[in-house]
Amino acid sequence: MTLSFSRSDLPADFLFGTATSSYQIEGHAYGGAGPTHWDTFAATPGNVVNAENGARGCDHYHRWAEDLDLIQAGGFDVYRFSLSWARVMPDGVAVNPEGLDFYDRLIDGMLERGLKPAATLYHWELPAALSDLGGWRNRDVAQWFGDFTAAIMGRIGDRVWSAAPINEPWCVSWLSHFMGVHAPGLRDIRAAARAMHHVMLAHGTATQVMRGLGMSNLGAVCNLEYAQPADDSPEAAKVAAIYDAIYNRFFLSGIFKGRYPQEVIDGLGEHMPEGWQDDMALISQPVDWCGLNYYTRKLIGPAPGPWPGLEEVEGPLPKTEMGWEIYPEGLYHFLTTTARDFTGDLPLHVTENGMAAPDRLVDGAVQDDDRIAYVDAHVGAVRRAIDEGVPVKGYYVWSLMDNFEWALGFDKRFGLVRVDFDSLERLPKASYHALAAALSRS
Ligand code: FCB
């Protein structure tokens, strides 16, 4: 199976990339990194499938050169990766020189291969010592994060192509503090309200620190999920709008408009940290681009109980191995509405998109046609948006290789490259080859 597009079907300056994150691939046990809240969350029975963790990951810490070779050989322009806070500051405060050296080598390795380094400062592994102090519930987290930003960007900031402070503020706050699905695994509305605001404050603080270092091409990366009412009732319409406000608009509106949706503030009520309004100028300082991570839609219906009073309803569309419906129209929707309602002429990048699949190894190869079709359909949505004048400038596949998929352990394979988790050998799948072919066709 091949992809239906070539480079020339997209604007000349359009960038293709692939993405990973530090805790999911590096091997957190190596190089003097300190414990993170994901290590402790995973060590607590029932939180992660098979109680797996990121201690070994894909051993990218030692195999990074081979991994960068794969990205280069695939014809990608951009490598979106993340920086582990606990590798750079094992106790959340003191700098680990080995950590700085690792990222220094990695950045130079990307530049040597002609890849644009797109750095994310926080892709979820908070140092355990800072979690002990309340983590994202503690307002001081913004300053701690600013100190981390200064330490790592003081070393590599002169060579990164783009930087974003936070990957997916909704996951950092709501999924992790209200739904309890990710570390630190809380189910507490007050913790969630505080985390939602503090993660925005950390975004603003880190952006300010990076501007102070003279860095440019700074962005914000949000995950967006299309919230569709489960039926035609006014009740379903109402709760789908609340879901959209919590999930999508809270963060986009905070960063790009300097205000939060009123329906979320009404719902969170007195749980918001005192004086949050005074932080909105810092949070909404200008950025240079916006990244959208997009995977699926959700059907939302009303549920009994306190605010937000909603639940997810299973949808009828074909699903990925995650149980997520395949819905490329949602990506088109978000590209057009994000530009229309929030970002205007700012460049948009699809900073994550991809699917988990069973990916059977047959005769030494993985023929992942479903992933090829998924990428094709979503790049199609990008092309539609571009045709209508939306300034989409890049599309990055999640993920370069199979890795630690958080609470689902190593079970869910998202990679363009298969990883054998016994030998750690890498094997490019058919999707990798299809992309390499499409990207080399002019
Ligand atoms: C995103 C995360 C990424 C990966 C994909 C499947 O929400 O940013 O780390 O887990 O989902």
Side-chain angles (χ1 to χ4, degrees):
M1 192 175 184
T2 54
L3 287 158
S4 67
F5 61 89
S6 308
R7 284 240 181 218
S8 54
D9 293 318
L10 290 131
D13 61 352
F14 192 84
L15 299 169
F16 282 92
T18 186
T20 63
S21 88
S22 46
Y23 191 79
Q24 293 179 277
I25 65 165
E26 284 178 358
H28 199 73
Y30 315 123
T36 81
H37 69 173
W38 263 97
D39 298 307
T40 47
F41 181 74
T44 313
N47 283 343
V48 177
V49 171
N50 301 324
E52 289 164 337
N53 61 35
R56 192 167 74 141
C58 306
D59 193 23
H60 174 74
Y61 186 78
H62 298 108
R63 295 166 194 251
W64 60 269
E66 179 192 344
D67 294 335
L68 296 185
D69 287 345
L70 283 166
I71 303 171
Q72 182 189 35
F76 296 99
D77 310 299
V78 176
Y79 177 38
R80 177 172 179 260
F81 67 107
S82 82
L83 304 158
S84 165
W85 191 345
R87 178 177 298 295
V88 172
M89 292 171 148
D91 63 358
V93 181
V95 171
N96 165 30
E98 268 182 278
L100 291 181
D101 291 348
F102 173 67
Y103 292 118
D104 201 68
R105 287 195 294 279
L106 193 64
I107 291 277
D108 283 346
M110 291 180 221
L111 296 177
E112 278 159 20
R113 290 167 180 79
L115 299 169
K116 296 185 189 315
T120 304
L121 279 152
Y122 186 78
H123 201 126
W124 306 353
E125 72 288 62
L126 187 73
L130 301 181
S131 187
D132 295 340
L133 301 176
W136 291 105
R137 284 174 292 159
N138 186 335
R139 182 181 172 84
D140 292 344
V141 72
Q143 196 46 55
W144 303 333
F145 188 59
D147 295 343
F148 161 56
T149 304
I152 183 63
M153 289 307 182
R155 179 70 175 268
I156 64 168
D158 57 335
R159 281 159 290 152
V160 303
W161 168 71
S162 77
I166 307 281
N167 179 65
E168 304 187 346
W170 178 85
C171 289
V172 177
S173 52
W174 194 262
L175 184 69
S176 307
H177 295 80
F178 185 85
M179 296 173 70
V181 176
H182 279 186
L186 297 179
R187 298 193 65 243
D188 183 307
I189 193 168
R190 185 172 176 85
R194 274 143 206 276
M196 285 167 92
H197 181 64
H198 294 152
V199 79
M200 290 284 89
L201 190 59
H203 160 85
T205 305
T207 303
Q208 193 175 47
V209 167
M210 291 192 282
R211 293 279 182 222
L213 290 169
M215 293 174 62
S216 54
N217 206 17
L218 308 182
V221 173
C222 294
N223 53 319
L224 304 176
E225 215 170 71
Y226 189 70
Q228 192 149 320
D231 57 41
D232 292 339
S233 67
E235 293 77 18
K238 183 169 170 227
V239 289
I242 292 177
Y243 185 94
D244 181 56
I246 296 171
Y247 201 113
N248 305 315
R249 286 185 281 119
F250 185 88
F251 305 102
L252 285 174
S253 178
I255 294 171
F256 293 101
K257 294 193 160 163
R259 59 175 187 270
Y260 295 139
Q262 192 55 44
E263 64 238 87
V264 183
I265 296 301
D266 290 346
L268 293 176
E270 74 277 20
H271 304 307
M272 288 292 285
E274 206 173 312
W276 60 267
Q277 295 87 345
D278 300 339
D279 298 324
M280 297 315 288
L282 180 65
I283 290 171
S284 60
Q285 70 192 280
V287 291
D288 306 309
W289 54 272
C290 176
L292 276 58
N293 293 356
Y294 176 80
Y295 290 92
T296 189
R297 73 166 182 180
K298 287 283 158 62
L299 299 188
I300 305 296
W307 187 90
L310 54 81
E311 67 182 7
E312 292 173 15
V313 177
E314 194 180 333
L317 301 178
K319 299 185 180 67
T320 72
E321 183 85 341
M322 298 289 275
W324 295 345
E325 286 189 308
I326 300 173
Y327 190 64
E329 294 78 6
L331 178 58
Y332 167 79
H333 164 86
F334 280 123
L335 290 169
T336 48
T337 58
T338 301
R340 186 193 68 201
D341 300 341
F342 298 104
T343 56
D345 294 336
L346 272 194
L348 299 179
H349 292 261
V350 179
T351 31
E352 282 183 28
N353 178 242
M355 70 176 281
D359 290 343
R360 312 233 182 277
L361 184 63
V362 180
D363 297 335
V366 178
Q367 191 61 43
D368 54 340
D369 286 342
D370 37 7
R371 183 171 290 107
I372 297 174
Y374 183 100
V375 168
D376 212 34
H378 287 81
V379 170
V382 168
R383 289 172 62 189
R384 260 178 78 202
I386 292 175
D387 285 348
E388 289 173 25
V390 180
V392 195
K393 301 294 181 190
Y395 172 86
Y396 316 158
V397 177
W398 182 272
S399 176
L400 170 65
M401 56 189 162
D402 298 338
N403 58 44
F404 175 69
E405 179 45 39
W406 307 113
L408 300 172
F410 290 95
D411 252 24
K412 300 287 181 263
R413 294 178 176 271
F414 272 90
L416 298 172
V417 174
R418 178 188 162 84
V419 177
D420 176 320
F421 289 112
D422 295 320
S423 68
L424 293 172
E425 244 171 66
R426 277 74 163 141
L427 175 74
K429 303 177 190 175
S431 57
Y432 171 95
H433 295 299
L435 267 157
L439 301 188
S440 68
R441 283 196 296 269
S442 50

